Amino acid sequence: MRRLDLALLAVLALLLVGALVFVSWRALDSAERLLLPELNRKAEVVGESISGLFEEAIDYGIPLKDVVGADEVLREALAESSEFASIAVRMEGGSELASVERAGAGSLRSPIIVKTAIKQGEEVVAEVVIAIPPAVVARTIRNIWLDVAIVLLASILVTFEMLALVFSSDVGRALRGLGQRLVAINRGDLRAHTPVESKGIFGQASDDLDHRLSSLAKRQRELEGRATAARDTEAGVALQQLEAKHHLLGKRDQPPPKLAAIRAPLFLFFFAEELTRPFLPSYIASLASPLPWLSRELVISLPIVLFMAIVAILLLFLNDLTERVGRGRSLRAGAVIAVIGFAGSAYVTDLLQLMFFRGLTAVGYALVFVSAQGAIIDGTERRNRARGLSILVGAIFVAALCGPPVGGILADRLGERETFLVSAVLALLAIVTARFAMPHQARPRGITGGARPNLATFLRVISKPPLALLLFGCALPAKLILAALIFYLVPLSMADSGFDQASIGRVLTLYALAMLPLVPLVSRFSDRSGYRPGFVLVGAALSASAIIHPLIWAEPWGEAAMVLQLGVAQALSITPQSALVGELGRRYLPDVPEGMVYGVFRFVERSGNAIGPLIAAWLLGAYGLDVALIAVGAISLIGALLYLAAWTVGREGRSLPGSEGAR
């Protein structure tokens, strides 16, 4: 069915891209023709506003040369108009009364000059002179192109995610199921398929094919039994060759088709949260009041830390609740809570109110995550669980790719509060799609119940040095540096440097852009090579060294290179690290359920998310950005060195899994 899927998606993508490119080209063509006149008009409006202030002073009998605060007025006007290079007030005769300019404005060649007269009665006594850099039009057009490209990419990805929901309907599942069977039979693959559980002509056709495949498998077993009983070696070899060619008795690792429907509401929900990434620190800063016992940087970090801490703690306790209530019902309840959190965040007037509503959003986020994860585990078996969980991981990655740049564009064009309302609408859509994706909930099978780790399990896990060093030397620092840089330092430092939210969003999306293609490749290669500790160590080293880029390159290129390298680094380590947790758990704690070991692992990871912004905020406020970057990188490097030491000892003593691939 892959070929059919790809062909259909390719046709839809071409249609969508063609339509959007045409609309974008027409819009950009109009923008290029209208932009310069609009810039001139803006300069005229600003010039008239400034000249009006001076004319008012003249009317009060104040000579122009005695006007106080002229530089401050011009400085405020320049700060509010990023397109201008300089603003000056010149007397008749050419002498300057006041002047302000941006860094580097003095070296401009052939700037666009807009002049506005300052009159005393009917006599012109001075003029406001505004200089516009020639490159501002080109830069604005370039930014529009980037925004159009981002919207285009997001539109395609959103379309594909919604198609997953369409194909997961009864008719869609039946059509996909029939296509999968026909393509597999055409290739000579006669393994049994997962039932489509759908009625209608396509469902009936799929059932007929399943019945025939089942009959062939039954006949294969009968013939193998007869050959064995008759000790007919030649027939046995022939039957084995037939099995090797057509896999009559094989099993597929595909998760149930209906599980794919969960991806659409998950994508919408995570997309809603990812929209807030580029502007959240600056939004918090606009609400934060100075506190005598906390620095500005620490105050800004509090809502982020609260969100991460609530999610980390609730992930330990919500599984049993969602089992009892029902996965679908719990997921929708979590989305409802998040809608209230997003909408409330749009209307807050102080930091405490924002912390309350961000805390509500965190509760909803944890409920949605645990419910989705539980639904996937309930609906899969051990042999296809990893592929089932890739639905959840894929939704998170695609949302992380689309959310920050789109959120930045919306925050610039609509405003930060309005973008929170957009997030609320997306969460509402997630509720609607979840109603279709998870309409009926079978009675929980209890396969995940009892997997919640307690304090005794936590202490047992960290009492084993290989596990403790993996968790606290690699897993925790990996999430710490991610949260410190992506969620806090990069958006805050770029906002403080004057970059707009769209630019911040474009930089942040580089993380997911690196992760999305690399994670599946690394997963397959690390599984085949068995060299998982090596991937973890290389990833940790790359994460630690990523902080070098902002120290040596100008903004925003240093931040962009750092975020991109961090995405590559974590793509190398994220899946091998998770696999190592299971291996080490089975080796050192065979009597502890694997789910409990992974529960401890996830809690430690999420703790890194919570403390990362807090540490970064304290370092930023106390020592500055450079020291904060170096210290966060040093934490990751020290953890990697500790695990490297344990891995080296483990290889010599053959006590750590994964060393086999290195020998």
Side-chain angles (χ1 to χ4, degrees):
M1 188 60 179
R2 253 181 211 174
R3 293 180 183 176
L4 180 61
D5 288 351
L6 291 175
L8 181 57
L9 291 178
V11 170
L12 290 172
L14 285 174
L15 290 174
L16 183 62
V17 169
L20 288 175
V21 166
F22 176 75
V23 172
S24 302
W25 173 72
R26 295 295 299 171
L28 286 167
D29 182 58
S30 300
E32 291 182 13
R33 288 187 287 102
L34 298 175
L35 190 57
L36 186 57
E38 283 300 314
L39 281 174
N40 286 338
R41 178 57 187 156
K42 180 176 180 179
E44 291 171 0
V45 170
V46 173
E48 289 170 0
S49 175
I50 295 171
S51 67
L53 294 175
F54 282 95
E55 289 173 355
E56 187 176 348
I58 292 172
D59 291 341
Y60 281 106
I62 303 174
L64 275 179
K65 61 181 180 179
D66 294 335
V67 172
V68 178
D71 286 334
E72 185 62 29
V73 170
L74 300 187
R75 193 173 294 111
E76 289 179 3
L78 188 64
E80 294 174 358
S81 304
S82 59
E83 302 91 343
F84 303 159
S86 64
I87 304 177
V89 175
R90 293 177 184 168
M91 305 285 290
E92 282 294 301
S95 61
E96 283 192 352
L97 176 65
S99 178
V100 294
E101 66 179 25
R102 298 189 192 278
S107 60
L108 287 177
R109 295 182 180 180
S110 304
I112 301 167
I113 302 297
V114 178
K115 298 180 179 180
T116 306
I118 300 175
K119 296 181 179 180
Q120 183 174 6
E122 296 298 323
E123 180 186 359
V124 176
V125 295
E127 60 184 3
V128 180
V129 181
I130 297 177
I132 303 173
V136 71
V137 176
R139 185 174 67 247
T140 304
I141 292 294
R142 185 181 69 244
N143 289 339
I144 293 174
W145 268 112
L146 287 171
D147 290 346
V148 167
I150 287 168
V151 172
L152 180 64
L153 175 62
S155 299
I156 293 171
L157 292 174
V158 170
T159 301
F160 289 172
E161 294 299 328
M162 294 303 102
L163 280 175
L165 181 64
V166 173
F167 277 120
S168 300
S169 65
D170 284 344
V171 176
R173 286 203 308 272
L175 182 59
R176 280 180 62 100
L178 180 59
Q180 286 173 344
R181 286 154 175 78
L182 293 175
V183 169
I185 292 171
N186 185 56
R187 291 201 308 259
D189 183 353
L190 302 181
R191 288 177 293 172
H193 294 261
T194 304
V196 296
E197 299 179 9
S198 179
K199 298 179 181 179
I201 185 172
F202 298 121
Q204 184 60 49
S206 297
D207 290 343
D208 291 343
L209 288 175
D210 287 344
H211 179 70
R212 296 193 179 196
L213 292 173
S214 177
S215 298
L216 287 174
K218 182 179 179 181
R219 184 61 174 164
Q220 173 80 5
R221 292 190 190 95
E222 290 175 354
L223 291 174
E224 287 181 355
R226 290 181 184 180
T228 302
R231 298 182 180 179
D232 188 343
T233 305
E234 184 178 349
V237 171
L239 288 168
Q240 288 176 4
Q241 291 175 345
L242 185 66
E243 169 61 22
K245 182 179 180 180
H246 296 292
H247 311 290
L248 285 162
L249 305 180
K251 291 185 177 180
R252 298 182 184 276
D253 294 332
Q254 296 170 337
K258 62 182 179 182
L259 277 182
I262 300 176
R263 179 159 172 153
L266 291 181
F267 166 75
L268 289 171
F269 181 82
F270 294 129
F271 188 24
E273 176 58 29
E274 292 292 335
L275 287 180
T276 68
R277 296 285 182 233
F279 67 85
L280 184 58
S282 59
Y283 184 66
I284 299 169
S286 69
L287 296 170
S289 301
L291 297 176
W293 61 90
L294 288 178
S295 66
R296 168 183 175 269
E297 291 76 13
L298 273 172
V299 171
I300 293 172
S301 74
L302 292 179
I304 302 173
V305 172
L306 177 67
F307 183 97
M308 297 298 177
I310 289 174
V311 171
I313 294 170
L314 289 183
L315 288 183
L316 291 174
F317 302 103
L318 287 177
N319 184 68
D320 293 342
L321 174 65
T322 60
E323 263 193 337
R324 290 194 301 271
V325 175
R327 305 298 192 186
R329 191 176 301 164
S330 298
L331 188 146
R332 294 191 292 273
V336 169
I337 294 171
V339 167
I340 298 171
F342 286 130
S345 298
Y347 293 104
V348 297
T349 56
D350 59 46
L351 185 64
L352 287 178
Q353 293 177 12
L354 179 63
M355 290 182 68
F356 172 77
F357 284 109
R358 287 301 291 166
L360 272 183
T361 309
V363 173
Y365 187 98
L367 259 175
V368 169
F369 186 92
V370 173
S371 301
Q373 181 176 259
I376 292 170
I377 292 175
D378 292 345
T380 55
E381 300 174 1
R382 190 182 186 90
R383 61 184 174 86
N384 59 13
R385 188 155 298 146
R387 294 189 65 178
L389 288 172
S390 68
I391 296 170
L392 174 61
V393 175
I396 293 173
F397 278 165
V398 176
L401 182 62
C402 300
V406 173
I409 293 171
L410 292 175
D412 272 347
R413 302 295 189 270
L414 302 179
E416 295 167 342
R417 295 181 183 274
E418 289 77 7
T419 306
F420 269 118
L421 293 178
V422 174
S423 293
V425 171
L426 286 172
L428 275 173
L429 290 176
I431 298 170
V432 175
T433 55
R435 190 70 185 86
F436 291 100
M438 307 168 71
H440 303 294
Q441 211 56 47
R443 190 171 184 81
R445 298 183 299 168
I447 61 174
T448 57
R452 174 167 57 86
N454 50 33
L455 180 59
T457 305
F458 180 82
L459 294 176
R460 284 195 64 191
V461 170
I462 66 172
S463 69
K464 304 299 180 182
L467 271 167
L469 286 171
L470 178 64
L471 296 182
F472 292 100
C474 295
L476 187 144
K479 294 302 182 182
L480 185 150
I481 195 171
L482 169 66
L485 298 180
I486 303 296
F487 299 162
Y488 183 78
L489 283 176
V490 169
L492 183 61
S493 63
M494 289 186 67
D496 287 345
S497 298
F499 289 94
D500 57 27
Q501 305 296 349
S503 299
I504 297 171
R506 287 194 289 268
V507 169
L508 294 184
T509 200
L510 293 173
Y511 175 80
L513 195 61
M515 292 276 285
L516 196 62
L518 284 179
V519 166
L521 294 176
V522 172
S523 299
R524 285 196 294 269
F525 187 75
S526 66
D527 284 343
R528 292 173 183 171
S529 67
Y531 203 70
R532 294 189 181 102
F535 280 99
V536 173
L537 289 168
V538 171
L542 285 175
S543 291
S545 61
I547 56 94
I548 294 173
H549 296 292
L551 304 178
I552 59 176
W553 307 110
E555 292 180 309
W557 306 111
E559 284 75 6
M562 177 177 68
V563 170
L564 185 62
Q565 182 170 323
L566 186 63
V568 173
Q570 302 224 343
L572 289 175
S573 62
I574 186 170
T575 51
Q577 183 174 262
S578 297
L580 269 178
V581 169
E583 292 182 27
L584 292 170
R586 289 190 294 272
R587 171 167 292 197
Y588 293 102
L589 298 166
D591 59 323
V592 176
E594 191 171 319
M596 285 192 173
V597 177
Y598 273 106
V600 173
F601 167 61
R602 298 302 179 196
F603 175 72
V604 172
E605 269 197 326
R606 295 285 179 172
S607 299
N609 277 343
I611 64 177
L614 194 63
I615 292 175
W618 172 69
L619 291 168
L620 181 63
Y623 304 105
L625 179 62
D626 290 352
V627 173
L629 290 171
I630 293 170
V632 169
I635 292 172
S636 181
L637 182 60
I638 291 170
L641 291 175
L642 289 173
Y643 184 68
L644 175 61
W647 184 49
T648 303
V649 172
R651 289 183 65 189
E652 293 174 354
R654 301 294 189 263
S655 62
L656 271 181
S659 57
E660 294 81 356
R663 292 201 294 270

